[in-house]
């Protein structure tokens, strides 16, 4: 009985670690795609990377600043990106692009 319990416990640890590494790898891909997208469509106004101190436009917050707004979540950021802003042009992101850019921005915490 002890042997089968240990076997089940060991298998669950292995499965959990494999699934966790797959999720991490997938998030890394989203983050990289988000950075590429941010460089292409956001960097004209926003500082999209940590090493860029000021944003090119004084009206556009740095992505790192956005990521660190208290209470900022993936849902809140997704909603904000899908609404028009007074000083920001409307951008039309498909669901994959939205996921990628949100993942990237929140990775700057």
């Amino acid at each position: 009985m002890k042997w089968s319990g240990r076997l089940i416990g060991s298998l669950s640890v292995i499965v959990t670690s494999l699934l966790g590494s797959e999720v991490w790898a997938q998030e890394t891909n989203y983050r990289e795609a988000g950075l590429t997208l941010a460089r292409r469509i956001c960097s004209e106004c926003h500082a999209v990377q940590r090493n860029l101190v000021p944003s090119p436009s004084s009206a556009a917050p740095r992505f790192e600043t956005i990521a660190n707004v208290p209470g900022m979540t993936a849902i809140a950021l997704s909603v904000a990106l899908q609404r028009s802003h007074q000083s920001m042009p409307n951008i039309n992101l498909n669901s994959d692009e939205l996921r990628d850019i949100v993942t990237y921005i929140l990775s700057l915490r």
Side-chain angles (χ1 to χ4, degrees):
M1 194 61 136
K2 281 185 174 181
W3 181 81
S4 65
R6 288 183 187 162
L7 178 62
I8 291 171
S10 296
L11 286 174
S12 70
V13 167
I14 292 168
V15 169
T16 301
S17 66
L18 289 174
L19 290 176
S21 64
E22 183 178 318
V23 168
W24 182 83
Q26 193 173 36
E27 185 172 312
T28 299
N29 291 339
Y30 297 159
R31 190 172 45 245
E32 290 172 5
L35 173 58
T36 300
L37 182 63
R39 285 178 175 154
R40 193 175 81 233
I41 66 172
C42 308
S43 64
E44 187 176 322
C45 299
H46 293 273
V48 299
Q49 294 177 269
R50 282 192 175 107
N51 60 350
L52 300 174
V53 179
S55 286
S57 169
S58 61
R62 298 174 64 245
F63 274 17
E64 188 175 6
T65 301
I66 294 168
N68 288 300
V69 167
M72 184 58 70
T73 64
I75 293 171
L77 189 51
S78 295
V79 169
L81 288 171
Q82 294 178 68
R83 299 223 167 145
S84 51
H85 295 75
Q86 205 167 20
S87 61
M88 186 173 129
N90 289 333
I91 54 172
N92 294 313
L93 301 172
N94 67 40
S95 60
D96 290 342
E97 292 170 329
L98 183 62
R99 175 205 57 216
D100 294 346
I101 206 153
V102 166
T103 301
Y104 172 69
I105 291 171
L106 293 179
S107 76
L108 297 173
R109 290 183 173 160

